[in-house]
Amino acid sequence: MPVSSQHKVYLPAQARDNQYLLAEFVLTDELLAAFPANDAAKPYEHFYQQLAQQFFELADAAQLHNVHVIANGKTPVVRFHQEAYVLQTAEQILFFYNPTYHEAQHSFYDGSVRARKISLLFLATEQPLRSNAAKFHQQVTTVLQQLLTKLNATALKVKIRDHQHLTYDLFGKAKGSKESYGYKLRSIDARYKARQCELPAHSALTYVIVNLPLSRRVKEQVKLDLQSSNPYLPLYQKVSDSFVSACQPEQLKHLAVLANGLLPLVRNSQFDKSSHGQELQMIGFDPSATTGQLISDLQGEKLVEMMQLVIFATPDDQTDMGYGRFMNQVETALRRFAKALNLQPERDDLTVRFHQHISYHS
């Protein structure tokens, strides 16, 4: 096999692509002072309105047509969907959209409450997303610079996160999706440099999150004692053991197994500590941990609809070609795992989401 082929992974042509940038900055007294309150009951309403108006105008001029202002402390979660939805929970704002068709502008705030920070969300819409990712990043940073200038806040520290992910069903071919496309999965930095987009010093993360629905067939593989205080722990432990065992031959050592009903947010533990709320769980991996890590949160007292499995890429998993070899190892491990659980490709879903993420302060 040619060396270049070893570094390509062939994913279903129907793999769903997303990219979004999130820019965050602290809401300071100086910013608020520039937009005096005109409503005593809602002292921050005027600021939020003016910020959104100026932001949307600049975004329109830059042909960025799916942008949002978030000033309620909630975490945005972005997913591909054929229909556009924006749903809010206590801790999240979920954006479902198809980049090819959907455009939107929304503001999320309470004019009577002062937000700790302002978050500006930019959803990519220009296809093909991966080829246009560098251009989109440059458009976003230009709009941010223009907005800070308008706000007379160019000295403000802004944290920028660029998220990109590919999502597909591991069993897509068995369900009739025969076409595939070869990806080298180069790092964001390498792709941007090739398009004359130089990034400042930044941190980068690459990882895979796998969603395993706990179907009746999977649950029936383990005899459960429903009178136990942790009746579902044996089921979760079987899945965990099968997953870890499947990853070992591929030298995939930075893993997480979650059965708690929370949405995992993967971070670098050198900068962010693990934590969780009512809906979200931040899990931190140390890329320099050569012996590997296993993060496990199995809440055996309750039955979850879906378990989530995380495979974190270390610097050793990246080659000059990209992460294609890493993803081939991931797919090999997941097929071994699926066989151990007796999953049926024609009927079961095993959703794989390949994440690439960079962040920096401007």
Side-chain angles (χ1 to χ4, degrees):
M1 180 183 292
V3 173
S4 60
S5 296
Q6 297 175 24
H7 293 274
K8 276 188 177 181
V9 59
Y10 288 85
L11 304 182
Q14 296 179 349
R16 304 179 295 279
D17 203 359
N18 280 104
Q19 180 188 12
Y20 64 96
L21 266 73
L22 185 66
E24 298 178 328
F25 55 86
V26 174
L27 177 52
T28 63
D29 293 337
E30 291 76 16
L31 277 175
L32 286 171
F35 301 93
N38 54 15
D39 183 344
K42 296 184 176 181
Y44 309 106
E45 182 91 13
H46 183 57
F47 168 76
Y48 294 144
Q49 288 177 341
Q50 292 301 308
L51 172 68
Q53 180 181 331
Q54 294 186 25
F55 173 53
F56 292 150
E57 288 175 356
L58 291 170
D60 279 338
Q63 298 187 3
L64 298 175
H65 301 308
N66 204 326
V67 296
H68 309 270
V69 177
I70 302 172
N72 59 9
K74 297 182 181 181
T75 299
V77 176
V78 179
R79 295 291 184 263
F80 182 99
H81 203 283
Q82 291 294 358
E83 297 182 53
Y85 294 99
V86 180
L87 306 174
Q88 291 196 63
T89 68
E91 296 181 359
Q92 305 171 64
I93 304 181
L94 298 101
F95 296 86
F96 297 94
Y97 85 116
N98 185 329
T100 303
Y101 305 114
H102 297 145
E103 300 177 356
Q105 292 179 343
H106 290 293
S107 299
F108 305 91
Y109 60 80
D110 181 340
S112 63
V113 177
R114 175 173 175 168
R116 185 183 65 83
K117 66 180 179 181
I118 302 296
S119 299
L120 304 177
L121 178 65
F122 303 78
L123 305 182
T125 58
E126 188 172 348
Q127 296 283 16
L129 260 60
R130 288 183 74 83
S131 298
N132 287 297
K135 175 185 174 184
F136 177 59
H137 190 102
Q138 289 175 313
Q139 290 174 307
V140 167
T141 53
T142 297
V143 166
L144 288 174
Q145 292 168 357
Q146 293 171 341
L147 179 63
L148 293 179
T149 299
K150 271 184 169 289
L151 297 174
N152 195 26
T154 53
L156 201 63
K157 183 177 288 188
V158 181
K159 184 166 188 177
I160 297 174
R161 295 188 176 100
D162 189 333
H163 294 263
Q164 301 172 32
H165 42 76
L166 284 163
T167 307
Y168 63 99
D169 178 7
L170 184 72
F171 302 138
K173 184 177 288 188
K175 296 183 179 72
S177 179
K178 303 298 184 183
E179 292 185 35
S180 63
Y181 184 83
Y183 292 87
K184 293 180 182 177
L185 300 178
R186 291 183 298 162
S187 68
I188 292 177
D189 187 45
R191 285 189 281 127
Y192 284 14
K193 280 183 179 178
R195 289 171 170 77
Q196 290 74 53
C197 175
E198 292 288 337
L199 293 170
H202 61 275
S203 62
L205 296 177
T206 301
Y207 54 94
V208 173
I209 296 182
V210 182
N211 294 336
L212 171 69
L214 293 179
S215 66
R216 175 179 52 83
R217 190 168 51 259
V218 172
K219 288 184 285 191
E220 287 178 347
Q221 294 181 34
V222 178
K223 187 175 182 179
L224 303 177
D225 178 8
L226 297 182
Q227 304 305 314
S228 165
S229 59
N230 290 289
Y232 304 105
L233 187 58
L235 170 63
Y236 300 156
Q237 197 62 59
K238 176 180 172 58
V239 172
S240 178
D241 292 345
S242 299
F243 174 61
V244 173
S245 296
C247 290
Q248 285 176 343
E250 308 309 316
Q251 297 297 303
L252 300 170
K253 300 178 181 179
H254 287 66
L255 310 172
V257 184
L258 308 173
N260 54 19
L262 303 180
L263 178 72
L265 303 177
V266 178
R267 298 289 186 262
N268 187 324
S269 62
Q270 295 173 327
F271 305 106
D272 298 291
K273 294 182 179 180
S274 296
S275 63
H276 67 82
Q278 296 299 311
E279 302 174 11
L280 305 172
Q281 178 177 17
M282 186 179 295
I283 57 175
F285 288 97
D286 182 356
S288 64
T290 56
T291 57
Q293 291 174 275
L294 175 59
I295 299 171
S296 180
D297 190 352
L298 310 178
Q299 296 188 9
E301 72 279 6
K302 62 182 180 181
L303 178 62
V304 298
E305 294 183 5
M306 178 176 63
M307 290 184 65
Q308 294 179 304
L309 315 170
V310 183
I311 305 173
F312 184 84
T314 69
D316 290 340
D317 293 312
Q318 181 182 5
T319 70
D320 292 339
M321 295 281 200
Y323 288 95
R325 186 184 67 181
F326 166 73
M327 277 305 293
N328 278 317
Q329 292 172 308
V330 168
E331 287 212 347
T332 298
L334 291 179
R335 293 187 189 281
R336 186 182 294 119
F337 167 70
K339 187 174 182 180
L341 287 187
N342 195 31
L343 298 185
Q344 297 182 7
E346 298 82 3
R347 298 182 59 186
D348 291 317
D349 288 330
L350 199 61
T351 302
V352 181
R353 185 170 293 112
F354 171 76
H355 289 256
Q356 290 179 290
H357 167 214
I358 61 169
S359 63
Y360 60 89
H361 286 92
S362 67

